[in-house]
mmCIF file of all heavy atoms in Angstrom:
data_model
loop_
_atom_site.group_PDB
_atom_site.id
_atom_site.type_symbol
_atom_site.label_atom_id
_atom_site.label_comp_id
_atom_site.label_asym_id
_atom_site.label_seq_id
_atom_site.Cartn_x
_atom_site.Cartn_y
_atom_site.Cartn_z
ATOM 1 N N PHE A 1 -6.259 -9.615 7.626
ATOM 2 C CA PHE A 1 -6.291 -8.746 6.453
ATOM 3 C C PHE A 1 -4.980 -7.972 6.325
ATOM 4 O O PHE A 1 -4.396 -7.854 5.248
ATOM 5 C CB PHE A 1 -7.468 -7.781 6.573
ATOM 6 C CG PHE A 1 -7.392 -6.593 5.651
ATOM 7 C CD1 PHE A 1 -7.718 -6.710 4.322
ATOM 8 C CD2 PHE A 1 -6.982 -5.354 6.130
ATOM 9 C CE1 PHE A 1 -7.644 -5.606 3.477
ATOM 10 C CE2 PHE A 1 -6.903 -4.259 5.297
ATOM 11 C CZ PHE A 1 -7.233 -4.386 3.962
ATOM 12 N N ILE A 2 -4.488 -7.461 7.462
ATOM 13 C CA ILE A 2 -3.247 -6.698 7.449
ATOM 14 C C ILE A 2 -2.068 -7.609 7.109
ATOM 15 O O ILE A 2 -1.145 -7.222 6.400
ATOM 16 C CB ILE A 2 -3.045 -6.002 8.807
ATOM 17 C CG1 ILE A 2 -4.098 -4.909 8.971
ATOM 18 C CG2 ILE A 2 -1.649 -5.403 8.919
ATOM 19 C CD1 ILE A 2 -4.142 -4.318 10.350
ATOM 20 N N TRP A 3 -2.096 -8.853 7.619
ATOM 21 C CA TRP A 3 -1.041 -9.813 7.301
ATOM 22 C C TRP A 3 -0.996 -10.075 5.800
ATOM 23 O O TRP A 3 0.071 -10.099 5.190
ATOM 24 C CB TRP A 3 -1.283 -11.102 8.056
ATOM 25 C CG TRP A 3 -0.284 -12.178 7.728
ATOM 26 C CD1 TRP A 3 0.983 -12.298 8.193
ATOM 27 C CD2 TRP A 3 -0.497 -13.295 6.853
ATOM 28 N NE1 TRP A 3 1.592 -13.413 7.672
ATOM 29 C CE2 TRP A 3 0.704 -14.045 6.851
ATOM 30 C CE3 TRP A 3 -1.567 -13.729 6.088
ATOM 31 C CZ2 TRP A 3 0.835 -15.201 6.095
ATOM 32 C CZ3 TRP A 3 -1.427 -14.881 5.334
ATOM 33 C CH2 TRP A 3 -0.234 -15.602 5.340
ATOM 34 N N CYS A 4 -2.164 -10.229 5.194
ATOM 35 C CA CYS A 4 -2.213 -10.439 3.740
ATOM 36 C C CYS A 4 -1.670 -9.215 3.016
ATOM 37 O O CYS A 4 -0.935 -9.332 2.033
ATOM 38 C CB CYS A 4 -3.648 -10.715 3.295
ATOM 39 S SG CYS A 4 -4.308 -12.294 3.863
ATOM 40 N N GLY A 5 -2.044 -8.028 3.521
ATOM 41 C CA GLY A 5 -1.541 -6.808 2.906
ATOM 42 C C GLY A 5 -0.046 -6.678 3.048
ATOM 43 O O GLY A 5 0.646 -6.210 2.141
ATOM 44 N N ARG A 6 0.489 -7.117 4.192
ATOM 45 C CA ARG A 6 1.930 -7.071 4.412
ATOM 46 C C ARG A 6 2.644 -7.980 3.426
ATOM 47 O O ARG A 6 3.682 -7.628 2.880
ATOM 48 C CB ARG A 6 2.232 -7.502 5.847
ATOM 49 C CG ARG A 6 3.712 -7.454 6.188
ATOM 50 C CD ARG A 6 3.968 -7.999 7.577
ATOM 51 N NE ARG A 6 3.597 -9.404 7.676
ATOM 52 C CZ ARG A 6 3.959 -10.177 8.692
ATOM 53 N NH1 ARG A 6 4.675 -9.683 9.674
ATOM 54 N NH2 ARG A 6 3.598 -11.444 8.731
ATOM 55 N N ARG A 7 2.069 -9.162 3.180
ATOM 56 C CA ARG A 7 2.698 -10.106 2.249
ATOM 57 C C ARG A 7 2.695 -9.546 0.827
ATOM 58 O O ARG A 7 3.602 -9.805 0.040
ATOM 59 C CB ARG A 7 1.941 -11.439 2.287
ATOM 60 C CG ARG A 7 2.064 -12.176 3.601
ATOM 61 C CD ARG A 7 3.474 -12.724 3.789
ATOM 62 N NE ARG A 7 3.797 -13.716 2.781
ATOM 63 C CZ ARG A 7 3.562 -15.018 2.923
ATOM 64 N NH1 ARG A 7 3.025 -15.476 4.043
ATOM 65 N NH2 ARG A 7 3.884 -15.869 1.971
ATOM 66 N N ALA A 8 1.627 -8.790 0.513
ATOM 67 C CA ALA A 8 1.508 -8.273 -0.856
ATOM 68 C C ALA A 8 2.156 -6.908 -1.038
ATOM 69 O O ALA A 8 2.274 -6.422 -2.157
ATOM 70 C CB ALA A 8 0.020 -8.171 -1.235
ATOM 71 N N ARG A 9 2.604 -6.315 0.058
ATOM 72 C CA ARG A 9 3.092 -4.947 -0.014
ATOM 73 C C ARG A 9 4.270 -4.792 -0.966
ATOM 74 O O ARG A 9 4.378 -3.805 -1.690
ATOM 75 C CB ARG A 9 3.496 -4.488 1.389
ATOM 76 C CG ARG A 9 3.916 -3.032 1.455
ATOM 77 C CD ARG A 9 4.293 -2.660 2.875
ATOM 78 N NE ARG A 9 4.706 -1.279 2.954
ATOM 79 C CZ ARG A 9 5.204 -0.733 4.049
ATOM 80 N NH1 ARG A 9 5.350 -1.457 5.134
ATOM 81 N NH2 ARG A 9 5.555 0.530 4.054
ATOM 82 N N SER A 10 5.170 -5.776 -0.987
ATOM 83 C CA SER A 10 6.361 -5.669 -1.830
ATOM 84 C C SER A 10 6.010 -5.697 -3.308
ATOM 85 O O SER A 10 6.819 -5.297 -4.144
ATOM 86 C CB SER A 10 7.326 -6.811 -1.508
ATOM 87 O OG SER A 10 6.695 -8.067 -1.746
ATOM 88 N N ARG A 11 4.807 -6.163 -3.641
ATOM 89 C CA ARG A 11 4.404 -6.255 -5.043
ATOM 90 C C ARG A 11 3.654 -5.012 -5.507
ATOM 91 O O ARG A 11 3.312 -4.901 -6.672
ATOM 92 C CB ARG A 11 3.514 -7.481 -5.252
ATOM 93 C CG ARG A 11 4.184 -8.775 -4.819
ATOM 94 C CD ARG A 11 3.243 -9.948 -4.966
ATOM 95 N NE ARG A 11 3.840 -11.176 -4.438
ATOM 96 C CZ ARG A 11 3.211 -12.333 -4.381
ATOM 97 N NH1 ARG A 11 1.957 -12.440 -4.803
ATOM 98 N NH2 ARG A 11 3.821 -13.403 -3.893
ATOM 99 N N LEU A 12 3.384 -4.083 -4.575
ATOM 100 C CA LEU A 12 2.640 -2.888 -4.928
ATOM 101 C C LEU A 12 3.583 -1.734 -5.173
ATOM 102 O O LEU A 12 4.691 -1.689 -4.672
ATOM 103 C CB LEU A 12 1.662 -2.515 -3.794
ATOM 104 C CG LEU A 12 0.572 -3.538 -3.482
ATOM 105 C CD1 LEU A 12 -0.217 -3.065 -2.266
ATOM 106 C CD2 LEU A 12 -0.348 -3.743 -4.666
ATOM 107 N N SER A 13 3.094 -0.761 -5.922
ATOM 108 C CA SER A 13 3.885 0.444 -6.145
ATOM 109 C C SER A 13 3.868 1.297 -4.891
ATOM 110 O O SER A 13 3.015 1.130 -4.022
ATOM 111 C CB SER A 13 3.275 1.231 -7.314
ATOM 112 O OG SER A 13 1.993 1.711 -6.949
ATOM 113 N N PRO A 14 4.819 2.244 -4.755
ATOM 114 C CA PRO A 14 4.858 3.099 -3.560
ATOM 115 C C PRO A 14 3.556 3.848 -3.327
ATOM 116 O O PRO A 14 3.210 4.153 -2.196
ATOM 117 C CB PRO A 14 6.006 4.070 -3.869
ATOM 118 C CG PRO A 14 6.893 3.320 -4.802
ATOM 119 C CD PRO A 14 5.966 2.492 -5.646
ATOM 120 N N ALA A 15 2.812 4.139 -4.398
ATOM 121 C CA ALA A 15 1.569 4.897 -4.260
ATOM 122 C C ALA A 15 0.527 4.148 -3.449
ATOM 123 O O ALA A 15 -0.310 4.751 -2.795
ATOM 124 C CB ALA A 15 1.004 5.225 -5.641
ATOM 125 N N HIS A 16 0.565 2.817 -3.475
ATOM 126 C CA HIS A 16 -0.413 2.008 -2.762
ATOM 127 C C HIS A 16 -0.025 1.795 -1.302
ATOM 128 O O HIS A 16 -0.806 1.236 -0.544
ATOM 129 C CB HIS A 16 -0.564 0.645 -3.441
ATOM 130 C CG HIS A 16 -1.204 0.726 -4.792
ATOM 131 N ND1 HIS A 16 -0.476 0.993 -5.920
ATOM 132 C CD2 HIS A 16 -2.495 0.589 -5.180
ATOM 133 C CE1 HIS A 16 -1.284 0.992 -6.966
ATOM 134 N NE2 HIS A 16 -2.508 0.763 -6.555
ATOM 135 N N CYS A 17 1.169 2.206 -0.928
ATOM 136 C CA CYS A 17 1.678 1.919 0.412
ATOM 137 C C CYS A 17 1.710 3.145 1.304
ATOM 138 O O CYS A 17 2.401 3.171 2.304
ATOM 139 C CB CYS A 17 3.072 1.310 0.326
ATOM 140 S SG CYS A 17 3.107 -0.247 -0.574
ATOM 141 N N GLY A 18 0.983 4.202 0.919
ATOM 142 C CA GLY A 18 0.939 5.401 1.739
ATOM 143 C C GLY A 18 2.133 6.300 1.550
ATOM 144 O O GLY A 18 2.371 7.204 2.341
ATOM 145 N N GLN A 19 2.927 6.082 0.490
ATOM 146 C CA GLN A 19 4.066 6.923 0.233
ATOM 147 C C GLN A 19 3.662 8.042 -0.715
ATOM 148 O O GLN A 19 2.531 8.108 -1.175
ATOM 149 C CB GLN A 19 5.223 6.096 -0.341
ATOM 150 C CG GLN A 19 5.653 4.983 0.621
ATOM 151 C CD GLN A 19 6.747 4.128 0.035
ATOM 152 O OE1 GLN A 19 7.459 4.555 -0.856
ATOM 153 N NE2 GLN A 19 6.873 2.923 0.545
ATOM 154 N N SER A 20 4.571 8.935 -1.010
ATOM 155 C CA SER A 20 4.227 10.125 -1.776
ATOM 156 C C SER A 20 3.839 9.769 -3.207
ATOM 157 O O SER A 20 4.321 8.804 -3.784
ATOM 158 C CB SER A 20 5.428 11.078 -1.802
ATOM 159 O OG SER A 20 6.540 10.434 -2.411
ATOM 160 N N GLY A 21 2.937 10.611 -3.752
ATOM 161 C CA GLY A 21 2.507 10.425 -5.126
ATOM 162 C C GLY A 21 1.347 9.471 -5.250
ATOM 163 O O GLY A 21 0.920 8.836 -4.298
ATOM 164 N N GLY A 22 0.816 9.323 -6.479
ATOM 165 C CA GLY A 22 -0.239 8.362 -6.775
ATOM 166 C C GLY A 22 -1.471 8.568 -5.932
ATOM 167 O O GLY A 22 -1.973 9.678 -5.767
ATOM 168 N N LEU A 23 -1.969 7.457 -5.352
ATOM 169 C CA LEU A 23 -3.199 7.502 -4.570
ATOM 170 C C LEU A 23 -3.075 8.421 -3.368
ATOM 171 O O LEU A 23 -4.032 9.084 -2.978
ATOM 172 C CB LEU A 23 -3.565 6.091 -4.105
ATOM 173 C CG LEU A 23 -3.986 5.106 -5.189
ATOM 174 C CD1 LEU A 23 -4.216 3.737 -4.558
ATOM 175 C CD2 LEU A 23 -5.231 5.571 -5.908
ATOM 176 N N ALA A 24 -1.877 8.452 -2.758
ATOM 177 C CA ALA A 24 -1.709 9.255 -1.554
ATOM 178 C C ALA A 24 -1.926 10.726 -1.821
ATOM 179 O O ALA A 24 -2.283 11.479 -0.923
ATOM 180 C CB ALA A 24 -0.315 9.023 -0.971
ATOM 181 N N SER A 25 -1.723 11.177 -3.066
ATOM 182 C CA SER A 25 -1.846 12.594 -3.367
ATOM 183 C C SER A 25 -3.250 13.106 -3.148
ATOM 184 O O SER A 25 -3.443 14.259 -2.774
ATOM 185 C CB SER A 25 -1.411 12.858 -4.816
ATOM 186 O OG SER A 25 -2.263 12.150 -5.713
ATOM 187 N N TRP A 26 -4.275 12.260 -3.382
ATOM 188 C CA TRP A 26 -5.652 12.718 -3.116
ATOM 189 C C TRP A 26 -6.207 12.149 -1.820
ATOM 190 O O TRP A 26 -7.056 12.763 -1.190
ATOM 191 C CB TRP A 26 -6.573 12.355 -4.273
ATOM 192 C CG TRP A 26 -6.706 10.882 -4.542
ATOM 193 C CD1 TRP A 26 -6.024 10.149 -5.468
ATOM 194 C CD2 TRP A 26 -7.580 9.957 -3.887
ATOM 195 N NE1 TRP A 26 -6.394 8.837 -5.428
ATOM 196 C CE2 TRP A 26 -7.363 8.685 -4.472
ATOM 197 C CE3 TRP A 26 -8.521 10.076 -2.873
ATOM 198 C CZ2 TRP A 26 -8.038 7.547 -4.055
ATOM 199 C CZ3 TRP A 26 -9.203 8.945 -2.460
ATOM 200 C CH2 TRP A 26 -8.960 7.697 -3.058
ATOM 201 N N SER A 27 -5.723 10.968 -1.368
ATOM 202 C CA SER A 27 -6.253 10.403 -0.133
ATOM 203 C C SER A 27 -5.809 11.193 1.083
ATOM 204 O O SER A 27 -6.540 11.296 2.066
ATOM 205 C CB SER A 27 -5.835 8.934 0.011
ATOM 206 O OG SER A 27 -4.432 8.825 0.076
ATOM 207 N N ASP A 28 -4.587 11.779 1.057
ATOM 208 C CA ASP A 28 -4.136 12.612 2.167
ATOM 209 C C ASP A 28 -5.057 13.806 2.349
ATOM 210 O O ASP A 28 -5.385 14.196 3.463
ATOM 211 C CB ASP A 28 -2.709 13.095 1.927
ATOM 212 C CG ASP A 28 -1.680 12.019 2.234
ATOM 213 O OD1 ASP A 28 -2.077 10.980 2.791
ATOM 214 O OD2 ASP A 28 -0.501 12.218 1.921
ATOM 215 N N ALA A 29 -5.464 14.400 1.224
ATOM 216 C CA ALA A 29 -6.357 15.556 1.310
ATOM 217 C C ALA A 29 -7.706 15.171 1.902
ATOM 218 O O ALA A 29 -8.354 15.988 2.560
ATOM 219 C CB ALA A 29 -6.556 16.151 -0.088
#
C-alpha cells in the first residue's frame, strides 16, 4: 500500500503528502 502511495505521491498536491495547508491543517489538530 505504501509502495503504491509512493508511486502516486508525485501526482498529489502538497496537502495530501503531510505538508502544510489543505488536509494537514485539520488532520494535525
Side-chain angles (χ1 to χ4, degrees):
F1 163 78
I2 291 170
W3 177 79
C4 292
R6 181 185 63 166
R7 293 290 296 270
R9 185 180 180 187
S10 60
R11 303 177 185 177
L12 297 175
S13 66
H16 292 85
C17 299
Q19 301 177 22
S20 60
L23 292 176
S25 62
W26 62 263
S27 62
D28 281 351

